[in-house]
mmCIF file of all heavy atoms in Angstrom:
data_model
loop_
_atom_site.group_PDB
_atom_site.id
_atom_site.type_symbol
_atom_site.label_atom_id
_atom_site.label_comp_id
_atom_site.label_asym_id
_atom_site.label_seq_id
_atom_site.Cartn_x
_atom_site.Cartn_y
_atom_site.Cartn_z
ATOM 1 N N LYS A 182 -0.201 13.626 -51.381
ATOM 2 C CA LYS A 182 1.018 13.230 -50.549
ATOM 3 C C LYS A 182 0.548 12.865 -49.153
ATOM 4 O O LYS A 182 0.981 11.763 -48.614
ATOM 5 C CB LYS A 182 2.061 14.334 -50.591
ATOM 6 C CG LYS A 182 3.349 13.904 -49.856
ATOM 7 C CD LYS A 182 4.371 15.001 -49.922
ATOM 8 C CE LYS A 182 5.654 14.621 -49.142
ATOM 9 N NZ LYS A 182 6.567 15.732 -49.201
ATOM 10 N N GLY A 183 -0.342 13.594 -48.554
ATOM 11 C CA GLY A 183 -0.822 13.288 -47.324
ATOM 12 C C GLY A 183 -1.557 12.042 -47.249
ATOM 13 O O GLY A 183 -1.433 11.198 -46.358
ATOM 14 N N LYS A 184 -2.436 11.723 -48.250
ATOM 15 C CA LYS A 184 -3.154 10.457 -48.317
ATOM 16 C C LYS A 184 -2.285 9.416 -48.322
ATOM 17 O O LYS A 184 -2.445 8.259 -47.746
ATOM 18 C CB LYS A 184 -4.188 10.565 -49.494
ATOM 19 C CG LYS A 184 -5.342 11.501 -49.368
ATOM 20 C CD LYS A 184 -6.188 11.493 -50.540
ATOM 21 C CE LYS A 184 -7.408 12.470 -50.391
ATOM 22 N NZ LYS A 184 -8.226 12.362 -51.650
ATOM 23 N N GLU A 185 -1.180 9.499 -49.258
ATOM 24 C CA GLU A 185 -0.260 8.409 -49.325
ATOM 25 C C GLU A 185 0.443 8.179 -48.087
ATOM 26 O O GLU A 185 0.636 6.895 -47.647
ATOM 27 C CB GLU A 185 0.773 8.807 -50.404
ATOM 28 C CG GLU A 185 1.796 7.645 -50.683
ATOM 29 C CD GLU A 185 2.842 8.120 -51.716
ATOM 30 O OE1 GLU A 185 2.667 9.181 -52.310
ATOM 31 O OE2 GLU A 185 3.784 7.370 -51.915
ATOM 32 N N ARG A 186 0.777 9.228 -47.335
ATOM 33 C CA ARG A 186 1.483 8.988 -46.084
ATOM 34 C C ARG A 186 0.576 8.307 -44.998
ATOM 35 O O ARG A 186 1.038 7.476 -44.303
ATOM 36 C CB ARG A 186 1.853 10.451 -45.421
ATOM 37 C CG ARG A 186 2.672 10.378 -44.139
ATOM 38 C CD ARG A 186 2.984 11.688 -43.777
ATOM 39 N NE ARG A 186 3.796 11.763 -42.507
ATOM 40 C CZ ARG A 186 4.118 12.852 -41.831
ATOM 41 N NH1 ARG A 186 3.721 13.974 -42.269
ATOM 42 N NH2 ARG A 186 4.856 12.772 -40.719
ATOM 43 N N GLU A 187 -0.720 8.728 -44.932
ATOM 44 C CA GLU A 187 -1.669 8.109 -44.081
ATOM 45 C C GLU A 187 -1.896 6.618 -44.445
ATOM 46 O O GLU A 187 -1.964 5.775 -43.560
ATOM 47 C CB GLU A 187 -3.044 8.761 -44.132
ATOM 48 C CG GLU A 187 -2.973 10.214 -43.457
ATOM 49 C CD GLU A 187 -4.220 11.011 -43.736
ATOM 50 O OE1 GLU A 187 -5.250 10.400 -44.221
ATOM 51 O OE2 GLU A 187 -4.282 12.200 -43.410
ATOM 52 N N HIS A 188 -1.875 6.357 -45.746
ATOM 53 C CA HIS A 188 -2.013 4.959 -46.235
ATOM 54 C C HIS A 188 -0.792 4.156 -45.718
ATOM 55 O O HIS A 188 -0.973 3.025 -45.191
ATOM 56 C CB HIS A 188 -2.148 4.974 -47.654
ATOM 57 C CG HIS A 188 -2.114 3.549 -48.239
ATOM 58 N ND1 HIS A 188 -3.083 2.641 -48.034
ATOM 59 C CD2 HIS A 188 -1.198 2.821 -48.905
ATOM 60 C CE1 HIS A 188 -2.813 1.449 -48.657
ATOM 61 N NE2 HIS A 188 -1.668 1.551 -49.183
ATOM 62 N N ASP A 189 0.449 4.743 -45.768
ATOM 63 C CA ASP A 189 1.594 4.032 -45.395
ATOM 64 C C ASP A 189 1.611 3.652 -43.908
ATOM 65 O O ASP A 189 1.977 2.591 -43.471
ATOM 66 C CB ASP A 189 2.787 4.854 -45.832
ATOM 67 C CG ASP A 189 3.098 4.962 -47.232
ATOM 68 O OD1 ASP A 189 2.522 4.087 -47.957
ATOM 69 O OD2 ASP A 189 3.802 5.861 -47.661
ATOM 70 N N GLN A 190 1.066 4.658 -43.169
ATOM 71 C CA GLN A 190 0.994 4.489 -41.639
ATOM 72 C C GLN A 190 0.057 3.440 -41.213
ATOM 73 O O GLN A 190 0.167 2.918 -40.178
ATOM 74 C CB GLN A 190 0.669 5.788 -41.067
ATOM 75 C CG GLN A 190 1.845 6.812 -41.141
ATOM 76 C CD GLN A 190 1.381 8.186 -40.548
ATOM 77 O OE1 GLN A 190 0.211 8.477 -40.535
ATOM 78 N NE2 GLN A 190 2.376 9.058 -40.435
ATOM 79 N N SER A 191 -1.076 3.270 -42.075
ATOM 80 C CA SER A 191 -1.997 2.253 -41.863
ATOM 81 C C SER A 191 -1.516 0.877 -42.034
ATOM 82 O O SER A 191 -2.152 -0.150 -41.478
ATOM 83 C CB SER A 191 -3.350 2.523 -42.575
ATOM 84 O OG SER A 191 -3.089 2.237 -43.931
ATOM 85 N N GLU A 192 -0.464 0.695 -42.838
ATOM 86 C CA GLU A 192 0.031 -0.603 -43.120
ATOM 87 C C GLU A 192 0.786 -1.223 -41.898
ATOM 88 O O GLU A 192 1.578 -0.618 -41.335
ATOM 89 C CB GLU A 192 0.913 -0.684 -44.367
ATOM 90 C CG GLU A 192 0.267 -0.247 -45.577
ATOM 91 C CD GLU A 192 1.157 -0.220 -46.811
ATOM 92 O OE1 GLU A 192 2.376 -0.384 -46.573
ATOM 93 O OE2 GLU A 192 0.743 0.009 -47.953
ATOM 94 N N GLU A 193 0.573 -2.453 -41.637
ATOM 95 C CA GLU A 193 1.093 -3.164 -40.459
ATOM 96 C C GLU A 193 2.344 -3.988 -41.130
ATOM 97 O O GLU A 193 2.193 -4.972 -41.740
ATOM 98 C CB GLU A 193 0.150 -4.111 -39.766
ATOM 99 C CG GLU A 193 -0.943 -3.316 -39.006
ATOM 100 C CD GLU A 193 -0.405 -2.559 -37.860
ATOM 101 O OE1 GLU A 193 0.701 -2.896 -37.369
ATOM 102 O OE2 GLU A 193 -1.001 -1.569 -37.545
#
Side-chain angles (χ1 to χ4, degrees):
K182 183 177 180 180
K184 290 180 179 179
E185 181 180 354
R186 183 180 182 185
E187 291 172 7
H188 173 70
D189 291 341
Q190 290 170 346
S191 66
E192 294 180 355
E193 292 293 336

